[in-house]
Each structure stands twice: as C-alpha cells, then as structure tokens.
Amino acid sequence: VAFRSLLRTAPDEAWLRTVSGMVVLHRDGRASTVPVAPERRGGLGGYDPRAFALDRQGNMWVGTEAGLYFARFAMPAFTSVQHEPGDLTTLSDDRINGLAQDSTGAVWVTTNNGLNRLDVETGRVERLDAMAPWADGRMCRAFWQVSPRPDGTRWLGLKYGGLAVWDGVERRPVPADMGPIAAVRALLPDGEGGLWSGLSG
C-alpha cells in the first residue's frame, strides 16, 4: 500500500493517508482501517483522502474527493460538510485538497473550485474570492494548499500558477527563481517565520 502522508494523533497512535482510505497504526504494531462507508451514519464518504489534519481541540479533519469530514477527538465517527449547489453557505466544491487551521481556530479548506473558511464552533462556511487572475480558465480557482500566516495573509499553493499571497483583497504571485511552477502541492511553516513548499511540474 502506498502511503501519502502520516499524522500523529496520540503518543502511541498515527493515522496514515493512502490512495484508498485511512489506516490507524498503534505503537504495539496493531493496525486498523477506517472503512469508507458513505451509506452509514458516521462513515467516511470518500475513497481518496487528499488531506487531513488535527486541530487544537483534538478534532480530526479529512478532506476527500467527496467532501470534508470531521470527527471529534479523533474518533472514527465522522460528520460531513458538503457542497450544495446554489447554497453559498456551503463548501464551494466537494473535491478537497488541503486543510489548515489559523490562529483563531478556523479551518481553511482548499478545493478544485475555490477557497473556504469554516468556523469550527458554528459550522458556518465562508466562500472566499481568492482567484488567481494570472492563471488560465477554471484552473484559476483550483488550490492545492493554504497556509494562514501570523500577519493575516494567506499563502496559497495553486494547482496551476505556482505560489501566491492573498491579503483578503489583493492576490499576487510569488516569483520563483527556478522558473515557471505549475503546482504547489505542499506548504509547511517551520516555526521560525519561514514557509517550505513542495512543488510539482
């Protein structure tokens, strides 16, 4: 099985993100899968978990190709947050690519069709106009990752168009010394004010 990423949820537990679901590993060597069960209440509804995160309250967040799911205190009973056509108070798209929590506790959600901010306490979703005007066509609304920064800006990893900074009003590209970059698939703050990015051509 190919593992895409790992998230430590407890001193003796880690969750692995694979191409076909989630696997929970324990220090004693035990492993269990989190089944994809969209028909079951509390089940995970997507076969392709593209992003996951643990917030400061201990909630597990999983972004899939079929929507956003969260479970309180990392228990595998999920609540879904879905896109509803015509309802601007829901996610802009169900194809979730990245998740990040900011200093206020809000969860930022990147999708193939826009950027969203979710208030964890109220469940309210805000769709944000963070399009990249220098990208072409529909890809100007496709985001891989987001990293909220201490100064209030959001750094955006685009599916097409490289890296951008958005202050809530203006979007501007970040020049790259290595030439044109098609996609920024990963963003990781280093705790010292720097930001690391993972790229793909």
Side-chain angles (χ1 to χ4, degrees):
V1 178
F3 296 116
R4 289 185 169 180
S5 59
L6 179 147
L7 179 67
R8 187 180 182 186
T9 56
D12 61 348
E13 178 184 279
W15 287 45
L16 298 170
R17 182 168 64 94
T18 80
V19 295
S20 58
M22 309 286 290
V23 177
V24 184
L25 292 181
H26 303 272
R27 181 173 289 176
D28 61 11
R30 291 180 298 116
S32 57
T33 59
V34 177
V36 176
E39 73 288 346
R40 180 175 62 84
R41 183 175 181 179
L44 186 63
Y47 284 90
D48 182 13
R50 302 179 179 189
F52 65 166
L54 191 70
D55 68 22
R56 291 192 295 271
Q57 291 75 36
N59 302 314
M60 167 71 73
W61 296 83
V62 183
T64 78
E65 87 291 349
L68 177 64
Y69 297 81
F70 76 93
R72 297 193 181 280
F73 310 114
M75 295 297 292
F78 291 96
T79 299
S80 64
V81 181
Q82 303 288 143
H83 165 74
E84 295 292 343
D87 187 348
L88 298 181
T89 66
T90 65
L91 291 174
S92 57
D93 192 44
D94 277 334
R95 294 162 294 178
I96 311 299
N97 297 318
L99 300 166
Q101 189 175 36
D102 66 20
S103 59
T104 70
V107 172
W108 293 73
V109 185
T110 59
T111 76
N112 277 8
N113 186 37
L115 177 67
N116 305 262
R117 181 182 181 275
L118 189 151
D119 187 308
V120 177
E121 297 300 324
T122 66
R124 180 176 180 271
V125 175
E126 180 184 6
R127 298 183 186 183
L128 301 162
D129 182 16
M131 288 193 303
W134 56 91
D136 293 330
R138 67 180 181 84
M139 298 306 292
C140 69
R141 297 189 58 84
F143 301 89
W144 273 122
Q145 299 293 337
V146 58
S147 180
R149 307 300 289 160
D151 63 1
T153 61
R154 271 70 64 183
W155 287 63
L156 305 171
L158 307 176
K159 272 201 166 184
Y160 181 82
L163 187 63
V165 179
W166 182 58
D167 61 8
V169 178
E170 181 184 7
R171 301 157 296 275
R172 59 184 186 277
V174 176
D177 295 337
M178 63 193 73
I181 298 172
V184 177
R185 296 182 67 102
L187 292 173
L188 178 66
D190 62 11
E192 299 180 357
L195 184 67
W196 294 76
S197 58
L199 315 176
S200 66

